[in-house]
Amino acid sequence: MEVSENEDEIVKKRPKKDDPFSSLRDENDDLRCQVEAYKNEVDVVKSDFKMELDNKDKQLKIVQQTLQSLQQQLFEARNKQNEDDMKILELQAKLKLKKSDKTEVEANESNKEKEGTESEVDTTDPALLFQSKLSEKEAKLIGLIAIFLHVHPFGASVDYVWSFLHKLDSSLKPSEVEQLMTRFTSVFQQELSGIGANMERRWVFEGFRNNSIL
């Protein structure tokens, strides 16, 4: 009896050998858990990516619709601008035509008025034509200047002529005398005489010269 009890104790104290299948099962369970975790993570990533793609697609569609709307508005604006430009050109053409017609009418009326005025004046009467261009004072002055220069065949200065006329009309100015002679170049001519500092401007009666030539 004692021997058998000792043997049982030895058997109990002897270490048990490791079970190889148990460790494999544990590793398999660990791997399965990891695979499940990876699978869940991949599903989450796929879901997020799909949601992001959907949002991008919606945004792209909104941008495309906005762009199409802007293109349509731009096309309509261009058409309206072209129509407005055509209307402006038509109005400008009509305005130019009206101005041309108005100018032509005014020119015709002006010509008619001139023709009427010319028909009223008898140009065949020299005395009447002379009176229409000269005042009585100017006619007298021209006669006096012609007489004065007639007796001075080599000419006289403006001041010399004025000094003669001033005795007859004290209100007369030298500039008025010169302007009057300048208006009638067919009767009075201005000449230069002398050299350098002694150069002098003299007025000559052309009627006297014509008579001398004849």
Side-chain angles (χ1 to χ4, degrees), residues 160-178:
Y160 193 14
V161 176
W162 171 78
S163 64
F164 166 70
L165 298 175
H166 185 68
K167 297 176 182 178
L168 304 175
D169 185 359
S170 59
S171 64
L172 194 63
K173 298 178 181 179
S175 59
E176 294 177 353
V177 177
E178 187 173 11

Side-chain angles (χ1 to χ4, degrees), residues 151-196:
V151 297
H152 294 82
F154 298 105
S157 65
V158 174
D159 293 335
Y160 193 14
V161 176
W162 171 78
S163 64
F164 166 70
L165 298 175
H166 185 68
K167 297 176 182 178
L168 304 175
D169 185 359
S170 59
S171 64
L172 194 63
K173 298 178 181 179
S175 59
E176 294 177 353
V177 177
E178 187 173 11
Q179 289 176 1
L180 185 61
M181 290 189 293
T182 304
R183 284 173 55 190
F184 299 94
T185 55
S186 61
V187 181
F188 308 107
Q189 284 290 333
Q190 189 180 53
E191 294 183 350
L192 296 177
S193 63
I195 300 174

Side-chain angles (χ1 to χ4, degrees), residues 22-179:
S22 177
S23 62
L24 289 174
R25 281 196 297 270
D26 293 339
E27 290 180 2
N28 189 21
D29 292 337
D30 292 338
L31 291 174
R32 186 178 298 170
C33 291
Q34 291 179 6
V35 169
E36 288 294 332
Y38 289 146
K39 185 178 179 181
N40 292 334
E41 187 175 354
V42 169
D43 291 338
V44 172
V45 172
K46 284 183 178 180
S47 178
D48 293 340
F49 184 69
K50 186 176 182 300
M51 186 180 297
E52 186 176 357
L53 286 178
D54 292 339
N55 291 333
K56 294 290 184 182
D57 188 43
K58 290 179 181 179
Q59 292 177 0
L60 181 60
K61 288 181 179 179
I62 293 173
V63 171
Q64 288 177 346
Q65 292 175 356
T66 304
L67 182 60
Q68 290 177 355
S69 177
L70 291 175
Q71 289 177 344
Q72 182 66 24
Q73 292 177 5
L74 180 61
F75 180 74
E76 293 176 356
R78 285 181 178 177
N79 289 337
K80 189 175 185 305
Q81 183 178 1
N82 291 334
E83 292 177 358
D84 293 340
D85 291 341
M86 290 298 296
K87 290 180 180 179
I88 291 173
L89 291 175
E90 290 177 0
L91 291 174
Q92 288 178 346
K94 290 180 180 179
L95 183 61
K96 288 182 179 179
L97 183 60
K98 287 183 179 180
K99 286 183 178 179
S100 178
D101 294 340
K102 183 179 180 181
T103 303
E104 186 176 356
V105 170
E106 291 177 351
N108 292 334
E109 291 179 353
S110 178
N111 291 333
K112 289 180 180 179
E113 290 178 358
K114 288 181 180 179
E115 291 175 358
T117 304
E118 291 176 356
S119 62
E120 292 175 359
V121 178
D122 186 6
T123 57
T124 59
D125 188 351
L128 184 61
L129 183 61
F130 188 76
Q131 290 178 1
S132 64
K133 293 182 179 180
L134 286 176
S135 64
E136 183 178 354
K137 180 180 178 180
E138 289 175 338
K140 289 180 179 180
L141 289 175
I142 289 174
L144 292 172
I145 295 172
I147 293 172
F148 180 80
L149 293 178
H150 181 72
V151 297
H152 294 82
F154 298 105
S157 65
V158 174
D159 293 335
Y160 193 14
V161 176
W162 171 78
S163 64
F164 166 70
L165 298 175
H166 185 68
K167 297 176 182 178
L168 304 175
D169 185 359
S170 59
S171 64
L172 194 63
K173 298 178 181 179
S175 59
E176 294 177 353
V177 177
E178 187 173 11
Q179 289 176 1

